[in-house]
Amino acid sequence: MSARADKAVARFKEPRGEGKRISFAQTVVIAYADLAGLSEKQAMNLTAGFGGGMGKKQTCGVVTAMLMISGLSENGDKCRKIMDAFEKKTGSTMCGELLEKYTDEYCSSLVKCAAELLDQNMFG
């Protein structure tokens, strides 16, 4: 696993105090923020509304995060490729479908998957 994937997974697994919850989307975007020209605070703010899936368990937050990083790092032409690769690996891009199949513990593997796909397809 790359250093960025390690950072994203470690950040996701950090103990969360009240009001300090970090979403899947936030952990992924924070790990790649420097490549997209963002500070950690900007990354946190940009992705604040994407935890739990966009639109109440619709598109998974890590998918949204991958697309944000793709566009911000001028790799927007690779969005479809990484979205398709994520769906192939996990079976879906929809938060609700993924959580029906798996427990919350599985979500750290989704963070890892997203980071690895970013590394392989854009920054590797």
Side-chain angles (χ1 to χ4, degrees), residues 32-121:
Y32 293 87
D34 63 313
L35 297 176
L38 299 172
S39 69
E40 184 171 316
K41 182 178 180 178
Q42 289 171 318
M44 289 286 287
N45 290 335
L46 177 66
T47 53
F50 296 98
M54 184 171 39
K56 294 187 178 181
K57 295 191 178 180
Q58 296 299 311
T59 304
C60 180
V62 295
V63 173
T64 306
M66 288 189 307
L67 299 177
M68 286 181 200
I69 290 298
S70 298
L72 289 169
S73 62
E74 299 182 12
N75 284 298
D77 58 325
K78 296 181 181 175
C79 287
R80 173 63 64 190
K81 181 179 179 180
I82 61 170
M83 210 164 82
D84 289 346
F86 184 89
E87 186 171 19
K88 185 176 180 180
K89 280 189 154 195
T90 64
S92 182
T93 59
M94 304 301 284
C95 181
E97 291 176 14
L98 292 167
L99 291 177
E100 282 177 16
K101 294 181 196 176
Y102 308 102
T103 65
D104 280 341
E105 272 302 305
Y106 177 73
C107 292
S108 63
S109 68
L110 295 177
V111 169
K112 176 183 172 188
C113 177
E116 289 174 345
L117 289 171
L118 285 168
D119 287 342
Q120 292 166 7
N121 292 287

Side-chain angles (χ1 to χ4, degrees), residues 1 4-14 108 111-112:
M1 192 162 32
R4 290 182 191 275
D6 286 340
K7 179 179 179 178
V9 171
R11 201 61 196 264
F12 178 72
K13 290 182 176 182
E14 282 180 2
S108 63
V111 169
K112 176 183 172 188

